[in-house]
Amino acid sequence: MLSPKIPSPAELIGRARDLAPVIAKRALECERLGRLPDDSFADFRDAGFYRILQPKRFGGYEHDMYTLLEVTREIGRSGCCSSAWVLAILAIHNFYLGYFPPQAQEDVWGEDQDTQTCTPFVPAGKITKVAGGIEIRDGRWTFASGCDHARFALLGVLVDDEHGGPPEYFQCVVPLGDFQIDHASWDVVALKGTGSKDITVSECFVPTHRMFSLSKVAQDIAPGREINTGPLYRQPFFAASVCSLIAPAWGAAQAAVDNFE
């Protein structure tokens, strides 16, 4: 039986259904702002949506992908696909973090379990190995959806193999302040409200414990499983992740049908 503090999947889906009309009323504001409105971000937080796939150790619910898909689909049916997209993206990042080194998870959620992250996957920046980690310089990462509400970025980098092999692909936990948001980089016709802006780094240090190997997780190696032992974090990292991106478009398509009828 679920703890009273953890809402059931049915409760979460019901909350999303009830919240959808409110999100619909903010759709034009979302597009005008070019990001998720602060009230919508807070509503999603207060409803517990960001915690659906977050580790229980850090206040999450560890529900399944289907729950996130259905919650996001209901928000998509509001007609504001941008809001549904940001919800899906921020929530799936909390699934990602469950695979990261334990200290990286502590760094993000240790003081505030409602802390959110943005994730531009495509590697960028000039990378130098140094004692205890790496230095990143002169990097620009594109399409950081939801970055206006993120206190950390999970930045993709390629680190050269000192033995001449292929570079290793990492995501690095970088706090706000070490990265900047280029607010002028996102001026589009559709999905403007996703706020999928560029992120830049002039120079920063990333300790080893904040580095997560996407190359190794593709081989089913994930240090976060040392502390997150539930079935949610036994899934293939990439295959499970893609599921979250289906729901916003699915919900928006259903909204089009609903409005046409």
Side-chain angles (χ1 to χ4, degrees), residues 73-246:
R73 181 173 70 91
E74 291 294 344
I75 296 300
R77 291 189 74 170
S78 70
C80 185
C81 193
S82 289
S83 294
W85 178 264
V86 174
L87 167 58
I89 291 295
L90 294 181
I92 197 65
H93 294 170
N94 295 334
F95 168 73
Y96 295 164
L97 276 169
Y99 289 74
F100 274 60
Q103 185 58 53
Q105 297 179 52
E106 182 66 32
D107 289 353
V108 173
W109 288 318
E111 295 184 3
D112 183 357
Q113 294 177 341
D114 286 316
T115 297
Q116 305 303 322
T117 64
C118 58
T119 308
F121 263 103
V122 178
K126 299 176 182 177
I127 310 303
T128 303
K129 286 186 177 181
V130 296
I134 61 171
E135 286 184 353
I136 303 176
R137 291 178 289 108
D138 303 328
R140 177 177 288 270
W141 292 260
T142 57
F143 306 125
S145 299
C147 58
D148 292 282
H149 297 287
R151 287 173 51 196
F152 291 86
L154 312 180
L155 301 181
V157 301
L158 292 177
V159 178
D160 289 336
D161 182 80
E162 56 191 27
H163 302 295
E168 192 166 1
Y169 185 11
F170 286 92
Q171 276 189 310
C172 298
V173 178
V174 176
L176 185 63
D178 284 351
F179 73 86
Q180 293 76 44
I181 300 172
D182 182 353
H183 291 280
S185 63
W186 188 247
D187 186 11
V188 296
V189 174
L191 293 179
K192 184 175 181 180
T194 64
S196 303
K197 302 162 187 173
D198 291 2
I199 280 178
T200 62
V201 169
S202 296
E203 184 174 359
C204 75
F205 169 72
V206 180
T208 302
H209 74 261
R210 287 187 176 178
M211 298 173 64
F212 170 60
S213 175
L214 294 171
S215 298
K216 289 179 180 175
V217 80
Q219 303 168 27
D220 205 32
I221 300 171
R225 289 174 175 166
E226 297 173 12
I227 59 172
N228 300 319
T229 59
L232 180 62
Y233 306 106
R234 291 296 179 268
Q235 300 179 82
F237 180 85
F238 291 105
S241 303
V242 174
C243 293
S244 68
L245 306 182
I246 298 170

